[in-house]
Amino acid sequence: MPPQTMSRRERFRQATLEEIRTTARKLLIEEGSAAVTVNAVAREMGMSGPALYRYYPSHEALVEAVTADFYQELVATIEGARDDNMDESLSRRLLAMSRAMRGWAIAHRAEFGWMFASPAPPSGSAPDSPRQRAEHELEQSFLEQFVELWEERRFPVPDIDELAPSLREQLFDYAPKVGRRLPAEAIYVFLSIWIRLYGLLCMEVLNQLVFAFADVEPVFEDCLREVFGQLGLEYEPQ
């Protein structure tokens, strides 16, 4: 609802909701996820716990709202990189988006770690929460590039009949969720690459690679080079 159409009470409520989430983020960054409790947020704001529950009815609801903010911020960063490179080749656009995703995650380690560690909504639940919508937008921002590439020229895909039966079934079930814009075997390639890039980023942000790599950027770039070669796209060094 546009601010000018809100009542004074609703504007106050929206401002308080935003302050609650901002305070929760501050606690997360400064003290860690365990510090983000309803009582701690309320104390920082000079409120009582019961008063804050009028805005977020549970700790889970607060976590959901804060997580949605982080996803929306990440999506905006990635889509900004996409829009800045809309007149460039698809290769350059995807490189810019992938590097923007990593750049945001590295600059916001606490927030990205929170996103990764927060329990995901149950499988099959309706995508009607702000977090679920933002997660969907994150997926779609990259999926759109794969659809464009597939329509321009087919990238290599496996023989669908050679995949494990359970995998085939899951891919066929997933296809309607992306509007059947890609065949199941192309969806497999998209998801495999997404898991590889996003998984590597999660391991970096959560310090799971420090036993071998103090600087993970060249590892991420090597991963980009390999997946771009897999897709038949031109990789350009940073």
Side-chain angles (χ1 to χ4, degrees), residues 33-53:
S33 59
V36 185
T37 66
V38 169
N39 286 334
V41 172
R43 187 164 53 249
E44 284 286 316
M45 294 177 61
M47 298 173 64
S48 67
L52 194 145
Y53 279 119

Side-chain angles (χ1 to χ4, degrees), residues 21-36:
R21 299 195 305 274
T22 300
T23 303
R25 183 175 192 167
K26 178 175 178 290
L27 285 170
L28 170 67
I29 294 170
E30 294 180 354
E31 301 182 33
S33 59
V36 185

Side-chain angles (χ1 to χ4, degrees), residues 77-164:
T77 299
I78 293 170
E79 292 185 345
R82 177 201 64 193
D83 295 345
D84 288 344
N85 290 272
M86 194 58 72
D87 295 331
E88 299 287 347
S89 66
L90 181 56
S91 297
R92 287 185 175 178
R93 198 185 316 149
L94 262 173
L95 278 172
M97 292 170 66
S98 300
R99 288 165 176 161
M101 177 172 69
R102 179 177 179 272
W104 187 91
I106 297 304
H108 302 89
R109 288 178 178 268
E111 293 93 326
F112 191 83
W114 171 286
M115 292 161 59
F116 183 69
S118 297
S123 176
S125 60
D128 55 0
S129 73
R131 171 182 174 168
Q132 288 170 287
R133 289 195 294 270
E135 287 178 332
H136 180 69
E137 289 171 7
L138 176 60
E139 173 197 19
Q140 288 297 306
S141 62
F142 281 94
L143 177 66
E144 292 292 343
Q145 312 310 309
F146 276 76
V147 171
E148 181 178 334
L149 176 60
W150 184 257
E151 291 174 347
E152 280 184 8
R153 61 182 188 276
R154 300 293 193 256
F155 47 81
V157 295
D159 184 336
I160 191 67
D161 293 328
E162 293 183 0
L163 298 178

